[in-house]
Amino acid sequence: MSKVTVVAPANIAFVKYWGARDLDQAIPRAPSLSMTLRQCTTRTTVAFAADEDGEDEVRLRTEEGTFRVPGASFTERVRQHLDRLRQWMGQAGTFRVATENTFPSGAGLASSASGFAALTVAATRTMGLVLEPEQLSVLARLSGSGSAARSVMGGYVEWPDMEVGDYPAMHLAGADHWDLRDVIAVVDPAPKTVSSRDGHRRAGTSPFYETRLQHLDERLEQARVALRHRDFEQLGPLIEEEAIELHLIAMSSRPPIYYWKPATLAVLEAVRGVRTDGVAAYATMDAGPNVHVICPAAEEAAVANRLERLPEVEAIIRDGVGPGPSTTTEHLF
Ligand code: DP6
């Protein structure tokens, strides 16, 4: 039996994937661009027994360090992905999987991105293949978590919207290109009530979705240029505009989706407040109520101090740009 443990990062999108051509294979209707995170990670240990023919075993490690059987839908998603990988590799056998996150799961902090990236890298390695990031990106995406396609690479990553092809993400710049930080204000660590999948499905019902698609390429190009020149004055407002637009689409979908909580608005107001004080910081939110405040390294402490004082904020995670997945010998079992 071979065993591999991989730590894979979450990521935060500056230009968001919202709406799919094919939901099961996570083929996006629009391009996206993200920053890979350093602190928010998933560690996954996978063991593969090529000679066995049983059911795959999936366990979650709790904060107390014990293992529990996850809910049926989680186990099912993992097993389906393992089936896909087995098929792709043309191998038979049984997997044993244990996984843990360093951050709250399912709350719009991209746990499925880091989770499926870790699972894809670890499972393919246990079957004896070390794949290129582009191949891993395509395989991770087939889990149905599109953002996982970006989590197999470090630094700054673009996931283009192509008419045909395999849709791998592309590495734009390494983590050392620009030391941006992400101060995450956790206002509600509970799992979201409407999945991203439902959000993608409903996106096209918003009367504003087609308008979004029309100007997205231009916004993406502006983001690329800002990234290339490390121009936060250009990138910051774009990040916030983009996040508001995603939520505008969600709120105007049929039926509408409200990911925001009152606390989300309190954080957004505080971010505007720090800007008035001369601190360069801009907010973004994925499909959840928590707020990622993006800023240059020099502004991180000021942002964190301000957010920590807000009664609406339950916890702060101080994160920043980081590398892609890595293997470790610190196995979970
Ligand atoms: C709002 O289909 O990747 O985060 O599988 O739940 O992680 P999960 O969602 P996924 O959609 C991500 C939507 C988004 C924007 C983004 O990350 O680009």
Side-chain angles (χ1 to χ4, degrees):
M1 179 180 290
S2 58
K3 182 156 83 177
V4 175
T5 299
V6 169
V7 175
N11 66 79
I12 179 68
F14 293 166
V15 177
K16 313 277 189 189
Y17 157 46
W18 202 242
R21 291 182 207 278
D22 179 325
L23 262 176
D24 290 330
Q25 296 193 53
I27 299 180
R29 274 201 70 185
S32 57
L33 188 155
S34 60
M35 173 171 99
T36 304
L37 298 177
R38 188 171 46 221
Q39 303 293 343
C40 290
T41 58
T42 299
R43 180 159 55 131
T44 301
T45 299
V46 178
F48 183 64
D51 44 348
E52 281 176 22
D53 186 22
E55 205 169 49
D56 299 323
E57 181 189 297
V58 184
R59 294 286 178 271
L60 273 183
R61 196 159 109 126
T62 63
E63 273 171 34
E64 296 77 41
T66 56
F67 289 93
R68 70 175 174 84
V69 178
S73 65
F74 182 98
T75 305
E76 199 39 42
R77 264 191 94 181
V78 171
R79 284 192 179 140
Q80 278 175 3
H81 194 55
L82 292 172
D83 274 345
R84 234 171 261 124
L85 297 176
R86 248 187 307 249
Q87 225 172 31
W88 192 83
M89 300 281 289
Q91 291 197 31
T94 304
F95 288 104
R96 214 176 134 202
V97 176
T99 189
E100 71 172 3
N101 290 333
T102 58
F103 58 100
S105 308
L109 297 180
S111 57
S112 44
S114 53
F116 281 111
L119 186 67
T120 305
V121 179
T124 48
R125 278 180 178 247
T126 54
M127 290 188 282
L129 210 59
V130 178
L131 297 171
E132 292 299 321
E134 288 73 19
Q135 289 172 300
L136 290 165
S137 178
V138 171
L139 288 175
R141 191 204 83 223
L142 294 177
S143 66
S145 171
S147 47
R150 300 186 308 245
S151 267
V152 298
M153 298 176 190
Y156 299 90
V157 180
E158 181 180 330
W159 186 29
D161 162 41
M162 295 177 288
E163 289 296 326
V164 287
D166 283 341
Y167 303 95
M170 291 181 335
H171 185 244
L172 291 181
D176 55 358
H177 170 69
W178 196 6
D179 188 6
L180 286 182
R181 302 292 164 91
D182 178 5
V183 183
I184 308 170
V186 180
V187 298
D188 185 356
K192 56 193 174 223
T193 49
V194 182
S195 66
S196 302
R197 192 181 166 85
D198 274 339
H200 293 303
R201 188 179 291 123
R202 288 184 218 173
T205 65
S206 163
F208 307 109
Y209 190 68
E210 292 303 321
T211 311
R212 166 172 171 72
L213 294 184
Q214 277 162 28
H215 61 231
L216 207 58
D217 280 340
E218 193 186 332
R219 186 178 284 154
L220 180 71
E221 178 56 15
Q222 285 167 352
R224 284 193 203 112
V225 172
L227 180 63
R228 203 174 305 134
H229 299 131
R230 300 183 197 87
D231 182 348
F232 197 71
E233 266 178 45
Q234 182 174 358
L235 185 68
L238 182 154
I239 290 175
E240 201 164 298
E241 238 171 62
E242 171 64 9
I244 303 297
E245 193 170 289
L246 178 139
H247 287 271
L248 177 135
I249 301 286
M251 289 183 210
S252 56
S253 294
R254 296 188 183 120
I257 310 168
Y258 294 90
Y259 287 117
W260 291 7
K261 297 273 157 83
T264 310
L265 283 167
V267 177
L268 288 177
E269 198 174 314
V271 174
R272 283 198 296 274
V274 292
R275 281 207 293 271
T276 314
D277 299 344
V279 176
Y282 288 85
T284 182
M285 294 80 64
D286 278 344
N290 303 310
V291 185
H292 295 248
V293 185
I294 310 297
C295 61
E299 313 281 26
E300 183 193 338
V303 171
N305 285 342
R306 179 66 162 258
L307 297 183
E308 260 157 17
R309 282 191 276 123
L310 286 179
E312 292 87 351
V313 173
E314 288 195 18
I316 296 277
I317 301 171
R318 290 171 73 150
D319 212 330
V321 64
S326 56
T327 52
T328 166
T329 49
E330 288 174 29
H331 302 299
L332 287 172
F333 59 85

